[in-house]
């Protein structure tokens, strides 16, 4: 099995877990799936074109090793955050019936660790396989920041006493930085 095959197998296992875990989530009252689908479609088309045409493969084994480590750690962070959210998890920018504010586990250090983990995993994928994936990564990063800001407005409205102090104490995506 090639490294590229292994990377995409990891993503496949992650996607399967994510789909199965979604079955236990609370029902949502507000959905904005159109934008989510558009970003996923654009990123998917960009990646498909890159890998179909050979793109700009990474040849340095140290860079590829760092990429694999980022991929594994990023997916691990996303799963850890998803476990802590429990039934409160949902598609980006949705509101849940009977929401709860989760500030434990990875949420103790960053407000959006799932986005952080997915961005780290995507960067790892790029470094391990093909640098043209940076285009899709840029789109994913922009979408993640946009989604996080929308979700934060919703959380401030839902938890007016608890969310602003939590927001002031934690970073959005990267501990101690952003």
């Amino acid at each position: 099995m090639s490294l590229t095959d292994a990377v995409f197998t990891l993503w496949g296992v992650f996607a399967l877990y994510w789909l199965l875990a979604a079955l236990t989530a609370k029902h949502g009252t507000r959905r904005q799936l159109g934008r989510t689908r558009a970003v996923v479609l654009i990123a998917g088309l960009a990646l498909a074109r890159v890998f179909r045409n050979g793109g700009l493969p990474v040849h340095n084994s140290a860079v590829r090793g760092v990429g694999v480590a980022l991929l594994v750690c990023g997916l691990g962070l996303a799963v850890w955050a998803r476990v802590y959210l429990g039934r409160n998890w949902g598609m980006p920018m949705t509101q849940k019936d009977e929401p709860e504010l989760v500030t434990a586990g990875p949420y103790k250090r960053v407000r959006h660790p799932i986005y952080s983990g997915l961005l780290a995993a995507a960067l790892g994928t790029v470094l391990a396989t093909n640098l043209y994936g940076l285009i899709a990564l840029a789109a994913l990063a922009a979408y993640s920041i946009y989604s996080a800001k929308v979700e934060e407005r919703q959380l401030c409205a839902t938890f007016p006493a608890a969310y602003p102090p939590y927001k002031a104490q934690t970073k959005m995506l990267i501990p101690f930085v952003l």
Side-chain angles (χ1 to χ4, degrees):
M1 175 183 282
S2 73
L3 179 60
T4 301
D5 291 340
V7 165
F8 286 102
T9 299
L10 279 172
W11 276 107
V13 169
F14 172 79
L16 181 61
Y17 162 76
W18 214 250
L19 289 171
L20 292 174
L23 298 174
T24 64
K26 293 178 184 176
H27 286 63
T29 56
R30 183 175 167 194
R31 298 183 150 236
Q32 295 185 6
L33 295 177
R35 290 184 185 129
T36 301
R37 289 182 182 142
V39 169
V40 169
L41 179 63
I42 290 168
L45 290 174
L47 288 174
R49 183 169 176 89
V50 163
F51 288 103
R52 184 181 66 218
N53 294 334
L56 186 60
V58 177
H59 298 291
N60 185 303
S61 60
V63 172
R64 292 180 84 167
V66 168
V68 170
L70 273 172
L71 168 62
V72 171
C73 290
L75 291 180
L77 175 59
V79 168
W80 182 33
R82 169 62 183 88
V83 167
Y84 263 85
L85 272 183
R87 297 190 65 226
N88 290 295
W89 175 84
M91 291 298 291
M93 300 178 286
T94 59
Q95 288 181 316
K96 292 294 171 189
D97 298 339
E98 302 176 26
E100 300 168 39
L101 182 59
V102 177
T103 60
Y107 292 89
K108 188 173 183 174
R109 298 281 180 239
V110 291
R111 297 187 305 271
H112 302 281
I114 290 175
Y115 293 147
S116 300
L118 292 177
L119 288 169
L123 176 59
T125 300
V126 167
L127 294 176
T129 60
N130 195 315
L131 294 177
Y132 277 152
L134 289 171
I135 297 165
L137 178 62
L140 180 62
Y143 176 74
S144 296
I145 291 169
Y146 169 76
S147 295
K149 289 183 178 194
V150 169
E151 290 171 8
E152 289 187 350
R153 282 194 300 272
Q154 293 171 350
L155 289 164
C156 281
T158 304
F159 304 104
Y163 197 77
Y166 168 67
K167 183 178 176 182
Q169 294 173 357
T170 57
K171 296 296 183 181
M172 181 187 283
L173 295 169
I174 304 169
F176 313 111
V177 179
L178 170 69

